[in-house]
Amino acid sequence: MHDVVVDPEDREIDFRKILNALFTNARLVIAAAGLGVALAVLLIVVSNPAYKATAKVLIDTRQQNILSSEELVKSAIFDTSAIDTQVELLTSGSVARRALAELSEKSTPGETKRETFTDKEIRAFLAKLSVARKGLTYVLDVTFSARNAADAANAANVIVKAYIDEAAAADTSAAQKANAWLQGRIKNLEPQVIRLEKQMQDYRAVNGLVSVGEQTVEERNLVEYIGQLGLARAALAEAQAKRDLDQSKSAVSLQSQDAYLIAKTKVALLERGLDTLRGEVVERREKELQLQEMEREATAAKELYALLLKRQREIEAQESRSAAYARVVQEALPPAWPSWPPKALLLLAGAFIGFVAGVLLVVARLVASARGVTLHSLRPAFDGGIRDARPTGRDA
């Protein structure tokens, strides 16, 4: 077998030769692209279709406040944690169990509603569910994937309903627990308020703590005593001066001496009475301070009692209303086209891969031809390799 002799000029490959080879073998390139399209069509036919349906839910981030009656205002600040919490609730096992129970009841009407599901069933169900936030809004896209378009839409809507029911049930449970706590607290606080009020009234009555205007009786008496003592001291000074005048004249008058003694006795009596009143005022002040402490304790108990009663009425009103923190803004509809397999993408990919494979095949043939490589030239190498691989008689 003679080796193929190739002209040195034919060994050189440039872009023009490649283009000529492609035009010459255009049918081969087109056939390769058609083969790629055929393989893509085969993949589409044998693949199980998957349909995705999406329902939209609007989340209200306001939370119920049990111990405060102030109305909460929705903040305009981007609240990531609140949205993340709702996403976790949507993809939780409790919501999945509610949705599976509802779907099982619809799929088998007339039979007993199934309430328990295995962890494997819940994980498989949640694997088909995806929840995503719509931009920076409070809208969540709840998407479910199924082999049937109607089943996908039905499952997405059931999941949203289960989520709202679960949130409402949790809210109702929290309100009931808060109401029960408030009722117990009110029941314990009511006799305490009555006891403190009665204790305060009894203390006031026993100690005679009655005020006259802004002054107490003792304080008013003390002021009057001070005035009387001032007048008595002035009278004593006048009587003493008159007596001293009479003594200077060596003509002490019995009348002036008696007036002096009377004035002096009156001053002494008033001073002792003033000391007694001062002690009573001090004691009264101490009792008033004790009474004020009792009044503060009773007032605090009454205010807390009134606040708890008010909050209990508010919670009872909330229980009578539907307290849903989310609402459906768009129900899921059966999709017209499956999300998998992506037919257009697969067809384009098949055509492109087939075209590239055809081009590479043409270029490979051109390079082999330029280098004088043919199937006949490669056969001796294959035959030699096979003979070398066979064991000889001696090796055997």
Side-chain angles (χ1 to χ4, degrees):
M1 182 71 62
H2 298 285
D3 295 336
V4 179
V5 179
V6 181
D7 190 353
E9 294 183 357
D10 294 336
R11 292 179 178 271
E12 297 180 0
I13 300 176
D14 56 11
F15 186 69
R16 182 178 300 175
K17 289 184 178 181
I18 294 175
L19 287 180
N20 291 333
L22 290 176
F23 281 117
T24 304
N25 299 275
R27 292 183 179 180
L28 177 61
V29 175
I30 294 173
L35 179 61
V37 172
L39 292 176
V41 171
L42 179 62
L43 178 62
I44 292 172
V45 171
V46 299
S47 297
N48 293 322
Y51 294 86
K52 289 185 178 181
T54 301
K56 296 183 181 298
V57 183
L58 176 62
I59 304 299
D60 186 357
T61 57
R62 292 174 297 181
Q63 301 295 323
Q64 185 184 27
N65 191 0
I66 299 298
L67 297 178
S68 175
S69 59
E70 298 179 358
E71 182 181 359
L72 298 177
V73 181
K74 184 178 179 181
S75 175
I77 302 176
F78 174 65
D79 193 353
T80 304
S81 60
I83 297 300
D84 291 342
T85 301
Q86 302 306 315
V87 171
E88 290 297 323
L89 180 58
L90 267 165
T91 56
S92 64
S94 58
V95 172
R97 287 187 182 90
R98 279 181 177 267
L100 284 171
E102 186 72 20
L103 291 172
S104 64
E105 185 179 20
K106 289 184 177 180
S107 61
T108 56
E111 296 185 5
T112 304
K113 185 178 181 180
R114 186 180 174 188
E115 297 290 345
T116 58
F117 298 90
T118 63
D119 293 339
K120 183 178 180 181
E121 290 174 324
I122 293 175
R123 286 195 297 268
F125 183 78
L126 291 176
K128 302 175 183 178
L129 173 66
S130 63
V131 180
R133 185 176 188 176
K134 194 73 173 179
L136 298 180
T137 66
Y138 288 98
V139 177
L140 297 179
D141 289 341
V142 182
T143 304
F144 192 83
S145 176
R147 293 184 178 181
N148 183 275
D151 292 342
N154 184 39
N157 292 327
V158 168
I159 290 170
V160 170
K161 181 179 180 299
Y163 157 70
I164 295 176
D165 292 343
E166 184 71 17
D171 179 69
T172 302
S173 176
Q176 290 175 350
K177 291 180 180 178
N179 195 14
W181 179 84
L182 288 172
Q183 287 178 354
R185 191 73 179 90
I186 290 171
K187 185 177 179 181
N188 295 331
L189 192 60
E190 184 176 4
Q192 181 182 355
V193 172
I194 297 174
R195 178 181 58 81
L196 290 174
E197 189 70 24
K198 187 177 183 304
Q199 182 180 354
M200 184 177 60
Q201 293 175 0
D202 293 343
Y203 187 83
R204 183 184 286 113
V206 169
N207 294 280
L209 299 177
V210 180
S211 299
V212 179
E214 295 183 356
Q215 288 184 332
T216 63
V217 175
E218 289 78 4
E219 290 174 345
R220 187 184 63 176
N221 293 337
L222 181 62
V223 173
E224 292 177 356
Y225 256 69
I226 291 173
Q228 291 177 9
L229 181 60
L231 294 175
R233 285 175 175 173
L236 176 61
E238 184 180 355
Q240 185 178 3
K242 187 176 180 181
R243 189 196 66 171
D244 292 343
L245 181 61
D246 290 344
Q247 287 179 352
S248 64
K249 294 179 180 180
S250 300
V252 178
S253 171
L254 184 60
Q255 183 179 1
S256 62
Q257 184 67 23
D258 292 341
Y260 171 74
L261 293 175
I262 292 172
K264 185 177 180 180
T265 302
K266 186 176 181 180
V267 169
L269 291 174
L270 287 174
E271 285 179 347
R272 286 197 297 269
L274 183 61
D275 291 338
T276 303
L277 279 176
R278 283 174 176 170
E280 291 178 356
V281 169
V282 172
E283 185 181 0
R284 170 77 178 223
R285 284 296 183 185
E286 293 177 353
K287 292 179 180 180
E288 285 182 347
L289 291 174
Q290 182 67 25
L291 179 62
Q292 289 175 2
E293 182 65 25
M294 296 170 65
E295 287 178 345
R296 283 194 294 268
E297 186 178 358
T299 301
K302 287 190 291 186
E303 290 178 352
L304 178 59
Y305 181 74
L307 178 63
L308 293 179
L309 282 176
K310 181 181 178 181
R311 190 55 190 156
Q312 184 186 24
R313 290 193 294 269
E314 292 176 354
I315 292 179
E316 289 175 350
Q318 288 178 357
E319 286 181 338
S320 63
R321 298 194 301 267
S322 176
Y325 290 106
R327 61 185 181 90
V328 181
V329 294
Q330 179 180 327
E331 291 187 349
L333 299 176
W337 302 98
S339 60
W340 176 264
K343 296 180 180 180
L345 180 62
L346 287 178
L347 291 175
L348 289 175
F352 177 75
I353 293 173
F355 175 78
V356 171
V359 170
L360 292 177
L361 181 60
V362 171
V363 172
R365 289 181 59 184
L366 179 61
V367 171
S369 176
R371 294 182 180 182
V373 179
T374 62
L375 293 177
H376 294 288
S377 63
L378 294 175
R379 182 174 296 175
F382 284 119
D383 293 341
I386 294 173
R387 285 195 300 270
D388 293 339
R390 291 177 180 173
T392 61
R394 181 178 302 173
D395 295 334

